[in-house]
Amino acid sequence: MAITNSEIAAIFNRYADLLEIKGANPFKVRAYRNAARTVENIGKPLEELVKEGYDLTKLPGIGADLSAYIKEIVTTGRFSKLEEIQEEIPPSLVEMLAIEGLGPKRIKTLYEKLHIQSMEDLRRAAESGEIEKLPGFGPTLVQKIIKGVRLAKKAGHRFKWSEAKEYVDDLLEYLGKLKLSHLVVAGSFRRKKETVGDLDILATAEDFSEVIRHFVKYPKIKEVVSAGSTRSTVILQNDLQVDLRSVEDESYGSALNYFTGSKAHNIELRKIAIELGYKLNEYGLFKGEERIAGKTEEEIYEALGLCYIEPELRENRGEIEACKAGKLPKLIERKDIRGDLHMHTVYSDGKHTIEEMARAAKEMGYEYISITDHSKRLTVAKGLDEKRVLQQFEEIDRINEEIDGITILKGMEVDILEDGSLDMSDEILAQMDVVLGAVHYKFNLPKEKQTARVLRAMDNKYLNIIAHPTGRMINMREPIALDMVKILEHAKECGVVMEINSQPDRLDLNDIHAKMAKELGVKMAINTDSHNIFSLYYIEYGINQARRGWCEKTDIINTLSLKELKKILKR
Ligand code: DGT
Ligand code: CA
Ligand code: CA
């Protein structure tokens, strides 16, 4: 994984913070902060410069030491000095840096004067009035600290996009009751990131104070953190933070662009603006004092000499270069999907019959589905043995004759056993249209073994799709250890398709892997893995992830006609 200049800058800034908490020489601290600033503004990836053998000491503020550190970070992805100092300083002191109003200097004072070492110490000292007595800590700051401790407790927890969506729908309906000229959720939510830290809502209205008054009365609020004239922050009952902001109509596009992020994408845009002699911020794109764009996002990209970049791509993962080269993908859309190749029925652990699933899929506008119940090893899910799966296929034949407008393919989600063999005989697999292979146990094998297991499964010529390839469950289960490059290269060689599983807690492949697959020419399938008729609409979540992975219609096999699909499924 390439390391970006902003990441290197963040490492140096973090190191400077820790040096400062530790009480290091201020010149040394400043040297790291200066280096961070230099790194952020070079405009060319340091990784490339290092590869080219460029003499980094020619850069402002980079001496021999820092040059060596940059090389270390670029080549190993780590900075050993940072790791060392992190060992010395209580982790809670580091966390305190996230609290508004607390910088390294103040944290050092709290540590030295009041021996504060944990968030709990900090809260107690703030509430008891001890902190207020320290020079440089007034009552306003103490209030900020108390709030900050509360927020920090929740930090780290990220909400699944689908969870956030439920609140978004409700909130937008509630806010929509007012007269607003614009109302939109920006931030990671708009970029369709698999998890969101908080919601960033942007609205414009003639009387914004009325909007804020209405907003803070939203019934699902647990706490109003702030309510000013142009912005307000609240915490909902489920601990989701919501920031609401307003700007003038003529700044709407630039504010939307700014608050959509990502931060890394914004920084790149700002650099381009500077190169052109402009200034870009949330209020507009300015040439001197004159606003030359800002009402819409489109006009900002245009004025910067770029094409419009979809929010899902705004992660500084090459979207700006791709745009300049005319190589931005035309992202896949819901209307491109013609079927769903992974779903369960009452035969194993699903809740609906084959016919019910088929009729619901037809309602979705699909032309085909494949029924893929579990194989026998998965006894907890009533996995099917050879005999029962053949019975199921007879039923599928029968329903296919009865039902019009949709074709049911015969398939199975077959367990990949520990040695990489499949949990079903080749003789039966040969009778299937679609074979999915999945890892459902032995999640903790070391990388080499786990990779070999999946590679071997792919060697079975009946296997079509690797289902939820890494097995991760968001906020719950780590991915299995796979060498993804090897897996994808082998998939390419043998014509195996990778699934983008749409279950909101799976979303597996993730965006990075999907982009890798696309770049290697590996085809993918966006499937819902539905266990009932209601979750067929999860396809939306899988499409979000695919779009973040730069996928186009041609990368995804379930956009094909049935005839073309069948060709791909014959390996
Ligand atoms: P999240 O909430 O952690 O899932 O991620 P975001 O991307 O929604 O981040 P958030 O809520 O902290 O900020 C919303 C957007 O505001 C972010 O995507 C870009 C913009 N933004 C925030 N802080 C900065 C900053 O320091 N510099 C720049 N250029 N943009 C920022
Ligand atoms: Ca956010
Ligand atoms: Ca935010």
Side-chain angles (χ1 to χ4, degrees):
M1 208 45 240
I3 189 154
T4 64
N5 288 359
S6 337
E7 283 164 334
I8 298 171
I11 289 174
F12 285 154
N13 275 324
R14 177 124 188 131
Y15 187 62
D17 286 344
L18 296 183
L19 281 178
E20 204 167 359
I21 295 178
K22 204 182 149 190
N25 179 335
F27 290 105
K28 193 167 165 191
V29 175
R30 204 168 314 138
Y32 281 95
R33 291 208 206 287
N34 286 340
R37 205 165 312 129
T38 301
V39 167
E40 239 170 4
N41 289 299
I42 290 171
K44 179 163 180 176
L46 277 165
E47 197 170 19
E48 282 176 27
L49 290 177
V50 168
K51 266 196 210 129
E52 291 165 10
Y54 180 84
D55 178 6
L56 298 176
T57 60
K58 286 187 188 148
L59 299 170
I62 309 288
D65 286 354
L66 278 156
S67 160
Y69 300 152
I70 291 173
K71 282 181 197 149
E72 180 195 349
I73 297 170
V74 166
T75 47
T76 66
R78 296 166 52 174
F79 182 29
S80 46
K81 286 179 85 75
L82 176 65
E83 287 169 14
E84 279 161 28
I85 198 171
Q86 275 171 339
E87 299 274 303
E88 291 172 41
I89 294 177
S92 292
L93 294 186
V94 181
E95 281 168 40
M96 286 173 199
L97 285 168
I99 294 176
E100 202 190 333
L102 281 191
K105 274 207 192 84
R106 287 194 169 124
I107 294 174
K108 179 166 175 273
T109 309
L110 292 169
Y111 182 52
E112 285 175 354
K113 298 266 157 61
L114 302 176
H115 310 291
I116 287 174
Q117 294 200 43
S118 69
M119 286 287 185
E120 195 45 36
D121 292 348
L122 181 65
R123 186 191 61 79
R124 218 174 301 128
E127 287 176 355
S128 71
E130 267 183 284
I131 294 182
E132 215 178 302
K133 288 186 216 136
L134 293 174
F137 288 79
T140 326
L141 179 57
V142 170
Q143 283 315 308
K144 263 194 194 161
I145 293 175
I146 293 173
K147 245 176 211 171
V149 172
R150 223 166 22 217
L151 287 176
K153 267 197 213 149
K154 286 165 209 147
H157 180 77
R158 299 184 59 84
F159 290 78
K160 283 178 276 185
W161 191 89
S162 60
E163 281 175 88
K165 174 80 160 69
E166 290 171 27
Y167 279 81
V168 163
D169 289 345
D170 197 59
L171 249 169
L172 291 188
E173 191 191 321
Y174 176 81
L175 291 172
K177 288 178 190 144
L178 298 180
K179 262 184 84 176
L180 302 163
S181 31
H182 290 286
L183 174 63
V184 66
V185 184
S188 51
F189 183 81
R190 183 164 180 244
R191 301 196 314 278
K192 310 280 167 63
K193 204 168 159 178
E194 61 192 30
T195 61
V196 304
D198 67 3
L199 291 178
D200 306 280
I201 303 185
L202 180 67
T204 67
E206 251 169 56
D207 180 4
F208 201 73
S209 54
E210 187 201 344
V211 179
I212 300 262
R213 279 198 303 277
H214 180 66
F215 176 61
V216 299
K217 280 189 266 169
Y218 178 60
K220 290 179 190 165
I221 287 176
K222 178 153 101 185
E223 185 188 338
V224 176
V225 180
S226 69
S229 57
T230 61
R231 63 172 292 174
S232 167
T233 293
V234 303
I235 311 252
L236 304 183
Q237 278 153 6
N238 67 345
D239 287 336
L240 176 61
Q241 178 177 321
V242 186
D243 295 337
L244 173 69
R245 297 183 183 80
S246 101
V247 287
E248 301 294 325
D249 270 325
E250 60 261 34
S251 294
Y252 172 72
S254 39
L256 177 60
N257 189 244
Y258 181 87
F259 292 115
T260 296
S262 67
K263 191 172 160 182
H265 176 84
N266 289 355
I267 289 171
E268 292 305 310
L269 290 186
R270 213 175 312 143
K271 270 190 219 150
I272 295 176
I274 291 168
E275 281 162 21
L276 295 169
Y278 303 151
K279 195 177 87 190
L280 176 65
N281 58 30
E282 58 266 55
Y283 304 106
L285 181 66
F286 297 90
K287 186 176 180 179
E289 295 294 296
E290 186 200 352
R291 187 193 333 250
I292 55 169
K295 220 173 158 58
T296 66
E297 283 194 313
E298 284 80 357
E299 70 181 30
I300 294 170
Y301 283 103
E302 199 187 325
L304 292 176
L306 300 169
C307 41
Y308 179 76
I309 297 175
E310 303 269 11
E312 293 90 330
L313 299 179
R314 300 184 197 168
E315 297 290 347
N316 194 25
R317 291 184 189 147
E319 67 276 15
I320 290 170
E321 294 80 353
C323 160
K324 284 182 184 157
K327 288 193 172 139
L328 273 182
K330 183 180 180 320
L331 298 181
I332 181 154
E333 297 175 38
R334 168 66 181 85
K335 68 171 169 43
D336 299 327
I337 301 287
R338 292 165 87 159
D340 188 339
L341 301 175
H342 184 172
M343 65 187 68
H344 299 266
T345 70
V346 288
Y347 272 85
S348 66
D349 57 349
K351 295 285 172 284
H352 289 100
T353 62
I354 300 170
E355 182 169 354
E356 286 166 330
M357 295 305 282
R359 293 201 184 277
K362 195 179 151 185
E363 287 287 302
M364 302 271 297
Y366 289 158
E367 295 165 30
Y368 50 81
I369 55 170
S370 72
I371 297 293
T372 53
D373 276 308
H374 290 289
S375 64
K376 57 187 184 286
R377 200 212 63 86
L378 212 58
T379 45
V380 285
K382 295 193 292 158
L384 311 187
D385 59 16
E386 281 78 356
K387 192 166 145 236
R388 285 189 63 226
V389 76
L390 291 178
Q391 285 167 359
Q392 184 184 46
F393 289 171
E394 277 174 29
E395 186 177 337
I396 290 177
D397 283 336
R398 209 165 50 240
I399 297 171
N400 265 332
E401 296 212 339
E402 283 166 25
I403 202 169
D404 283 333
I406 188 155
T407 301
I408 308 167
L409 299 173
K410 295 169 189 163
M412 182 169 237
E413 182 182 12
V414 184
D415 256 60
I416 297 176
L417 302 178
E418 191 180 351
D419 65 359
S421 60
L422 296 181
D423 184 29
M424 189 57 47
S425 69
D426 279 359
E427 188 202 337
I428 307 285
L429 293 176
Q431 301 178 44
M432 299 186 188
D433 301 305
V434 186
V435 176
L436 311 189
V439 169
H440 285 131
Y441 72 116
K442 292 275 179 188
F443 294 119
N444 293 326
L445 295 184
K447 191 170 193 169
E448 215 165 296
K449 279 207 170 128
Q450 197 70 279
T451 304
R453 177 188 188 182
V454 177
L455 291 176
R456 175 157 178 233
M458 291 176 165
D459 287 333
N460 184 311
K461 65 174 181 183
Y462 298 110
L463 183 110
N464 298 117
I465 302 177
I466 299 288
H468 46 71
T470 77
R472 69 91 179 251
M473 305 278 263
I474 295 172
N475 294 341
M476 269 158 32
R477 189 164 74 210
E478 290 297 311
I480 57 174
L482 286 182
D483 182 332
M484 201 44 98
V485 173
K486 275 198 186 140
I487 298 283
L488 294 175
E489 281 171 351
H490 199 52
K492 170 73 184 163
E493 276 161 21
C494 48
V496 165
V497 172
M498 288 285 144
E499 181 176 76
I500 296 179
N501 188 293
S502 308
Q503 292 282 320
D505 48 7
R506 287 196 183 271
L507 298 173
D508 178 14
L509 300 178
N510 69 18
D511 48 355
I512 308 255
H513 291 149
K515 185 163 185 257
M516 278 167 64
K518 181 201 163 78
E519 281 164 6
L520 287 167
V522 174
K523 299 290 177 204
M524 288 162 271
I526 307 175
N527 296 329
T528 64
D529 193 356
S530 283
H531 286 67
N532 58 60
I533 57 174
F534 309 113
S535 47
L536 289 169
Y537 80 91
Y538 285 172
I539 196 77
E540 179 193 356
Y541 307 138
I543 292 169
N544 287 349
Q545 191 77 308
R547 288 170 62 90
R548 286 181 56 81
W550 294 50
C551 293
E552 304 184 81
K553 186 177 170 180
T554 49
D555 298 309
I556 307 295
I557 63 164
N558 48 322
T559 61
L560 295 171
S561 68
L562 183 58
K563 200 171 144 216
E564 292 297 317
L565 176 73
K566 281 191 164 168
K567 274 192 219 159
I568 288 229
L569 295 174
K570 283 266 164 294
R571 282 179 52 186

